[in-house]
Amino acid sequence: MNDNKIPFLDLVAPHLELEEEIVGVMREALRNGQFTGGPLVEAFEKDFADFCKAGRCVAVSSGTDALRFALMAAGLRPGETVLTVPNTFIATAEAITQAGALVDFVDVDGKTCNMCPDKLREYMERKCRGYGKGRHISRKTGSAVSAVIPVHLYGQMADMDCINAVAADYKLKVVEDACQAHGARFFSKKDNCWRTAGSMGVAAAFSFYPGKNLGACGEGGAVTTNDEEAATRVKMLRDHGQVKKYYHDIEGYNGRLDAIQAGILGLKLKRLDEWNSLRRVKAYYYNELLSDIKGVRTPYEPLWSRAVYHIYAIRVRDRENMQSHLSKAHIGTGLHYPLPLHLQKAYSRLGYGKGSFPAAEASAESILSLPMYPGLTDAQQRRVADAISDFASGCASVHKAQKELRGAN
Ligand SMILES: Cc1ncc(COP(=O)(O)O)c(C=O)c1O
């Protein structure tokens, strides 16, 4: 690696650190010949359920499958509407369609960039007319709204107390998209305690894509739930609807997690609290370094949140030029996500346009994700902040010169 380069993500260092143990897991699978299911998967499921403080965990082959199976297991009927946010990875919405439902969107809160509970309530009040208890028909999609997927974006939980309160009023099932939020916590006023992502809805979906806070050396995902029946249903869905070998109660999918991946995830899970704490330390250091730079807004973390900073995204003016300035300084950055889903061609059928979801659009236009991983050094963070500051002061002098020129004319 170029020593001068600060990558956006470092997938090499954490694996080199665990190389011997990872090879040990692979050897174990080679020797017992169990590559799907078996003790490595079962042990990981138990440990991850405990980590999330959820009753059950069912490991599956990706976060997208986890979302789809969680929705199907929650008792969603084909043709019903499921709400989510427009500023998420497309997989959230894809899973809704793949589960046979219709997607619709609710805007986010301008500060946290997570689903806004007031806008969810407004949607239900404005767009739905009640057809008796528990059946709210969306004027947009013409179907019953039956579930909502808050996305814990960037590793920060959505306001689950308020979302759950709206959901209870309108009989919506809540499925958490916790694909970016392994170990994130939320202080529930209702329960008067800290709750963990993956334990606050009827089910939750996690992704173990390599770049996640808990990432496999390949693909992987999991559903967590406190509902025994839902867990059994997800187990069937991931394995062709089987209750026992070659006896299929329903049609399902090939959505299992490999044993080797489960073994590796189990190893890494033991380090996750430590890695998440390091991410929080790095986030606070960025906050401090960037606090005085004009035109830069650091992430907002409410008092009730313990975010795990899967992504550290700032809001900036003149994002494209700042990104290319950082790239010239050999600093990797990302955009999560540059075009909200309601403006993507894939969802043009919903008939939304620019201005439909102003908060999601404003964040898409200004967010910039900075390098963030447990091994990021203080010196690297200072270099990132210096490059941002250089760019911002360059912008400031250009603005000043333009103003002076305008004054002179
Ligand atoms: C918010 C969100 N939802 C769903 C997914 C899908 O997970 P996977 O890529 O494991 O299918 C991702 C993955 O990036 C994600 O970030």
Side-chain angles (χ1 to χ4, degrees), residues 164-175:
N164 279 338
V166 180
D169 288 348
Y170 289 95
K171 307 255 181 311
L172 302 174
K173 286 154 191 143
V174 179
V175 172

Side-chain angles (χ1 to χ4, degrees), residues 173-246:
K173 286 154 191 143
V174 179
V175 172
E176 296 170 79
D177 183 337
C179 286
Q180 302 186 357
H182 319 68
R185 289 190 300 149
F186 169 86
F187 188 82
S188 167
K189 272 198 184 155
K190 185 176 146 278
D191 303 332
N192 196 27
C193 66
W194 287 95
R195 302 282 306 266
T196 308
S199 68
M200 292 204 73
V202 290
F206 288 88
S207 164
F208 303 129
Y209 186 72
K212 302 296 190 211
N213 289 27
L214 179 63
C217 294
E219 303 281 348
V223 175
T224 55
T225 178
N226 290 316
D227 179 340
E228 196 63 36
E229 245 178 70
T232 307
R233 191 111 183 134
V234 174
K235 275 181 106 168
M236 286 167 71
L237 285 165
R238 77 171 171 187
D239 201 13
H240 299 287
Q242 297 188 120
V243 270
K244 62 178 182 179
K245 204 163 176 68
Y246 302 134

Side-chain angles (χ1 to χ4, degrees), residues 35 37 43-44 83 104 115 171 193 200 214 226 229 234 244 249 265 308 312-313 357 360 375 394 402:
F35 298 110
F44 172 68
L83 304 175
D104 205 0
M115 181 177 278
K171 307 255 181 311
C193 66
M200 292 204 73
L214 179 63
N226 290 316
E229 245 178 70
V234 174
K244 62 178 182 179
D249 280 12
L265 287 164
V308 291
Y312 182 91
F357 299 100
Q402 282 170 341

Side-chain angles (χ1 to χ4, degrees), residues 18 28-29 33 39 50 90 115 134 185 190 193 215 233 235 281 287 323 333 349 355-356 365 369 374:
L18 294 172
E28 186 184 333
D50 290 348
I90 190 170
M115 181 177 278
R185 289 190 300 149
K190 185 176 146 278
C193 66
R233 191 111 183 134
K235 275 181 106 168
V281 170
N287 289 349
Q323 191 175 28
T333 54
R349 64 176 184 272
S356 298
E365 280 161 18
S369 312

Side-chain angles (χ1 to χ4, degrees), residues 62-65 67 88-89 91-92 151 177 179-180 207-209 212 219-220 337:
S62 68
T64 311
D65 272 357
L67 279 165
T88 178
F89 183 52
T92 318
V151 179
D177 183 337
C179 286
Q180 302 186 357
S207 164
F208 303 129
Y209 186 72
K212 302 296 190 211
E219 303 281 348
Y337 299 90

Side-chain angles (χ1 to χ4, degrees), residues 196-328:
T196 308
S199 68
M200 292 204 73
V202 290
F206 288 88
S207 164
F208 303 129
Y209 186 72
K212 302 296 190 211
N213 289 27
L214 179 63
C217 294
E219 303 281 348
V223 175
T224 55
T225 178
N226 290 316
D227 179 340
E228 196 63 36
E229 245 178 70
T232 307
R233 191 111 183 134
V234 174
K235 275 181 106 168
M236 286 167 71
L237 285 165
R238 77 171 171 187
D239 201 13
H240 299 287
Q242 297 188 120
V243 270
K244 62 178 182 179
K245 204 163 176 68
Y246 302 134
Y247 289 83
H248 310 267
D249 280 12
I250 52 169
E251 283 186 333
Y253 301 84
N254 176 352
R256 299 172 299 253
L257 179 70
D258 291 349
I260 289 177
Q261 298 303 343
I264 294 171
L265 287 164
L267 280 178
K268 292 173 88 176
L269 182 59
K270 295 193 187 109
R271 303 288 300 279
L272 187 55
D273 275 333
E274 173 198 339
W275 287 337
N276 280 344
S277 301
L278 282 168
R279 283 174 183 270
R280 288 182 58 75
V281 170
K282 315 232 164 264
Y284 286 152
Y285 193 40
Y286 268 141
N287 289 349
E288 191 187 314
L289 292 169
L290 301 173
S291 62
D292 291 334
I293 303 179
K294 243 185 149 177
V296 172
R297 218 167 94 192
T298 53
Y300 173 68
E301 186 176 344
L303 284 175
W304 46 255
S305 166
R306 289 290 175 276
V308 291
Y309 292 97
H310 169 55
I311 283 168
Y312 182 91
I314 55 174
R315 306 273 294 262
V316 296
R317 289 193 221 125
D318 200 7
R319 194 253 317 277
E320 268 63 41
N321 284 326
M322 182 181 285
Q323 191 175 28
S324 78
H325 176 82
L326 292 177
S327 165
K328 282 182 203 137

